[in-house]
């Protein structure tokens, strides 16, 4: 979508899944203990979205609504897609 369009800007996070760029706070790697705790807490309260299609989690997307989205794409790949979308 181009700047000036009224609709939300969506970025592909793998396997046909998309996320609204305006809702994303951070894209992080899943290795650290604090991120693992956030992931488990989100699972307990029903705010975990698994978009990995059964593959290994390579990045975690944190949204402003406290949802945690798991993706099988590298954090760098998703970040690059955000930047590409901004430049169009």
């Amino acid at each position: 979508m181009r700047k000036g369009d009224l609709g939300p800007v969506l970025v592909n996070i793998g396997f046909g899944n998309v996320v609204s760029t305006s809702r994303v706070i951070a894209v992080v790697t899943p290795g650290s203990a604090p991120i693992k705790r956030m992931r488990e807490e989100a699972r307990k309260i029903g705010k975990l979205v698994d978009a990995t299609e059964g593959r290994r989690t390579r990045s975690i997307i944190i949204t402003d609504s406290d949802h945690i989205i798991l993706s099988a794409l590298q954090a760098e790949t998703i970040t690059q897609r955000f930047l590409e979308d901004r430049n169009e």
Side-chain angles (χ1 to χ4, degrees):
M1 207 168 262
R2 297 188 190 283
K3 291 181 183 175
D5 286 349
L6 298 177
V9 178
L10 302 174
V11 171
N12 186 334
I13 60 167
F15 306 108
N17 299 298
V18 294
V19 65
S20 175
T21 58
S22 63
R23 303 299 302 262
V24 173
I25 294 175
V27 179
V28 298
T29 57
S32 71
I35 298 299
K36 288 178 182 177
R37 282 193 297 271
M38 283 179 66
R39 178 179 175 171
E40 287 307 311
E41 188 62 32
R43 183 184 314 274
K44 287 178 188 174
I45 63 174
K47 289 197 170 195
L48 183 71
V49 179
D50 187 350
T52 62
E53 296 285 324
R55 291 169 177 81
R56 180 173 168 237
T57 300
R58 295 185 178 212
S59 64
I60 295 179
I61 301 164
I62 303 169
T63 66
D64 61 353
S65 62
D66 292 331
H67 282 84
I68 304 294
I69 304 169
L70 308 180
S71 175
L73 297 180
Q74 295 283 349
E76 294 81 15
T77 303
I78 295 173
T79 302
Q80 189 63 37
R81 291 180 182 185
F82 273 90
L83 294 174
E84 286 171 2
D85 198 51
R86 184 180 293 176
N87 292 332
E88 288 182 356

